[in-house]
């Protein structure tokens, strides 16, 4: 293959720059910027859900939403401009009430786009679940079962796990990183107490805490005081092959392979409800900042309308908003944005 490439280069060909084919498609109006970014997203997608969201944006879901908002703003802009041109004659091309209603709708739609970003970000980076519980509750056993390998050491000795052990699995189409942690207890052992600190810190920044309680031991005072810190935690009773879980609680037994599917489907539901992004989501910081700028400008325009300012003042902010959306889709282009986007591509795309 190298020989063929060398021969082609001798005959005048050259190696393509990163993202060059996609960039050309953009320059020739075949793709807009959001679609071009989606190609890179699609290549980098780690799960089926990520891939399908990227594909939706490649097909134009996000671009269509942004363009629709921008068109409604251009409608208002052109009429306000016309009113300026004929200001002597006192013509009105759009009523103040209509203009405000359109801008208000644009604010609502842009804000809804911003909301998709939080979800969109979860779609890219996935979720974090942290397993907490007293020593010997069966945390490492659960992690091993979920990842399907002997990732963490399991022994009957309380205090086996010290450091955090993390593994990523796919649940509900998203990557979910599961952290197994040191069992929570008062410990005089320096290494163990550092591990316990780390466990709590990991839980603080996690999306969901799975708090395991050994059903054969039951809920202890220590569990209660610990659970007071993790109000949204899911309490899961383990080792239900030895003692059944209390009525109405989640129970699992890894040894008897009981309740695991149910736990997984609860996680799957959580992922879908809270984090799966809708089609046409903002998926990166560039897109997000563009819409932040748009909302900011629209709010300023509304403020001017309410204060009864001149068209000129209102127009400044409406232009700022429509430019932000134009930069988002690439309807308006800036050289440095192009470089930034296409330099991240791999060669030959
Ligand atoms: N009968 C039964 N035993 C279990 C089950 N799950 C775990 N165990 C046992 O409980 C003991 C402790 O399990 P681990 O998974 O190491 O517990 P841990 O919570 O990680 O403990 P630390 O790391 O010390 O905090 C081991 O002997 C496991 O074999 C279960 O479902 N049923
Ligand atoms: Mg452990």
């Amino acid at each position: 293959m190298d020989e063929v490439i060398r021969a082609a280069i001798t005959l005048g060909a050259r190696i393509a720059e990163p993202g060059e084919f996609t960039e050309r498609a953009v320059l020739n109006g075949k793709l807009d910027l959001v679609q071009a970014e989606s190609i890179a997203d699609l290549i980098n997608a780690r799960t089926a859900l990520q891939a399908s969201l990227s594909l939706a944006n490649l097909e134009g879901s996000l671009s269509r939403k942004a363009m629709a908002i921008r068109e409604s703003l251009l409608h208002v802009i052109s009429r306000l401009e016309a009113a300026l041109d004929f200001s002597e004659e006192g013509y009105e091309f759009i009523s103040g009430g209509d203009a405000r209603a359109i801008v208000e709708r644009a604010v609502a739609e842009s804000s809804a786009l911003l909301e998709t970003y939080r979800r969109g970000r979860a779609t890219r980076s996935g979720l974090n679940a942290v397993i907490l519980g007293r020593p010997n509750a069966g945390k490492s056993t659960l992690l091993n079962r979920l990842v399907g390998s002997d990732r963490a050491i399991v022994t009957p000795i309380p205090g086996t796990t010290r450091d955090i052990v993390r593994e990523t699995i796919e649940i509900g189409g998203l990557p979910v990183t599961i952290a197994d942690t040191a069992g929570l207890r008062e410990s005089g052992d320096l290494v163990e107490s550092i591990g316990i600190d780390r466990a709590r810190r990991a839980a603080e920044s996690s999306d969901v805490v799975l708090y395991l309680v050994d059903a054969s031991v039951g809920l202890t005072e220590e569990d209660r005081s610990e659970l007071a810190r993790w109000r949204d935690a899911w309490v899961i009773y383990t080792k239900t092959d030895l003692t059944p879980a209390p009525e109405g609680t989640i129970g699992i037994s890894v040894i008897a392979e009981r309740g695991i599917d149910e736990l997984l489907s609860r996680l799957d539901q959580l992922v879908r409800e809270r984090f799966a992004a809708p089609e046409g989501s903002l998926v990166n910081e560039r897109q997000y900042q563009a819409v932040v700028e748009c909302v900011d400008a629209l709010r300023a325009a509304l403020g001017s309308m309410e204060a009864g300012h001149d068209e000129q003042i209102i127009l400044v902010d409406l232009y700022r908003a429509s430019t932000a959306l134009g930069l988002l889709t690439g309807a308006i282009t800036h050289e440095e944005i192009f470089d930034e986007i296409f330099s991240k591509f791999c060669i030959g795309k």
Side-chain angles (χ1 to χ4, degrees):
M1 214 151 67
D2 285 346
E3 291 289 327
V4 175
I5 292 172
R6 215 169 295 140
I9 289 173
T10 318
L11 294 172
R14 69 167 171 80
I15 305 267
E17 303 284 341
E20 184 168 353
F21 294 107
T22 313
E23 185 169 2
R24 285 184 182 211
V26 172
L27 292 174
N28 290 312
K30 309 278 185 206
L31 289 178
D32 69 25
L33 266 194
V34 170
Q35 291 175 308
E37 280 176 319
S38 309
I39 292 178
D41 288 338
L42 191 56
I43 293 167
N44 294 325
R46 282 187 295 153
T47 67
L49 186 63
Q50 291 176 335
S52 77
L53 278 178
S54 309
L55 201 58
N57 279 356
L58 177 56
E59 283 161 358
S61 294
L62 172 57
S63 306
R64 272 193 298 276
K65 287 187 192 176
M67 295 291 270
I69 300 171
R70 184 158 182 261
E71 268 157 32
S72 73
L73 294 179
L74 292 176
H75 175 85
V76 178
I77 288 173
S78 61
R79 270 139 193 93
L80 291 181
E81 286 282 9
L84 274 184
D85 287 344
F86 295 95
S87 59
E88 311 284 270
E89 293 85 343
Y91 288 136
E92 197 185 56
F93 292 84
I94 184 167
S95 77
D98 285 352
R100 193 176 317 164
I102 293 175
V103 175
E104 273 167 1
R105 189 157 9 100
V107 170
E109 284 165 3
S110 311
S111 304
L113 272 183
L114 290 183
E115 179 54 26
T116 67
Y117 185 55
R118 186 180 60 77
R119 289 161 163 261
R121 193 163 35 185
T123 316
R124 299 181 130 217
S125 55
L127 299 187
N128 288 305
V130 171
I131 306 177
L132 288 187
R134 304 272 302 151
N136 253 4
K139 299 179 293 299
S140 304
T141 306
L142 176 62
L143 175 86
N144 289 348
R145 167 60 185 80
L146 293 178
V147 305
S149 72
D150 281 341
R151 181 68 180 78
I153 299 170
V154 169
T155 75
I157 306 163
T160 302
T161 307
R162 303 307 192 64
D163 232 337
I164 296 182
V165 180
R166 286 195 173 84
E167 274 295 322
T168 302
I169 61 172
E170 187 175 328
I171 298 178
L174 284 188
V176 176
T177 302
I178 300 173
D180 172 30
T181 61
L184 305 171
R185 65 171 168 188
E186 288 296 319
S187 169
D189 182 300
L190 179 63
V191 180
E192 188 179 1
S193 48
I194 292 175
I196 292 170
D197 268 359
R198 290 189 173 192
R200 293 203 175 104
R201 253 183 291 137
E204 272 158 18
S205 59
S206 73
D207 296 299
V208 58
V209 171
L210 310 179
Y211 191 93
L212 306 197
V213 177
D214 185 336
S216 64
V217 174
L219 202 65
T220 63
E221 258 326 297
E222 290 91 340
D223 285 321
R224 280 181 223 282
S225 65
E226 197 61 49
L227 277 167
R229 301 174 62 160
W230 316 107
R231 299 204 173 273
D232 295 329
W234 295 5
V235 178
I236 299 165
Y237 285 85
T238 60
K239 313 191 192 178
T240 57
D241 52 297
L242 300 179
T243 312
E247 200 60 41
T249 60
I250 313 173
I252 60 166
S253 164
V254 174
I255 303 278
E257 185 58 37
R258 239 188 265 148
I260 309 288
D261 281 348
E262 195 191 331
L263 175 61
L264 279 171
S265 75
R266 275 171 195 263
L267 283 168
D268 183 285
Q269 211 178 330
L270 175 86
V271 164
R272 285 175 200 278
E273 276 168 15
R274 299 230 319 248
F275 301 99
E279 280 194 359
S281 294
L282 303 174
V283 296
N284 63 39
E285 195 62 26
R286 185 191 78 82
Q287 298 171 354
Y288 180 73
Q289 289 305 335
V291 181
V292 165
E293 166 78 3
C294 169
V295 171
D296 183 66
L298 291 177
R299 291 231 162 91
L302 277 179
S304 303
M305 285 176 172
E306 268 147 38
H309 288 153
D310 280 355
E311 279 96 349
Q312 275 118 320
I313 312 256
I314 299 166
L315 277 167
V316 169
D317 287 317
L318 292 183
Y319 274 119
R320 186 154 67 90
S322 86
T323 302
L325 293 175
L327 286 171
L328 169 65
T329 62
I332 301 170
T333 55
H334 275 179
E335 194 69 40
E336 65 279 19
I337 294 181
F338 264 59
D339 290 348
E340 167 66 19
I341 290 174
F342 293 105
S343 63
K344 288 189 196 135
F345 271 77
C346 41
I347 309 274
K349 290 293 177 307

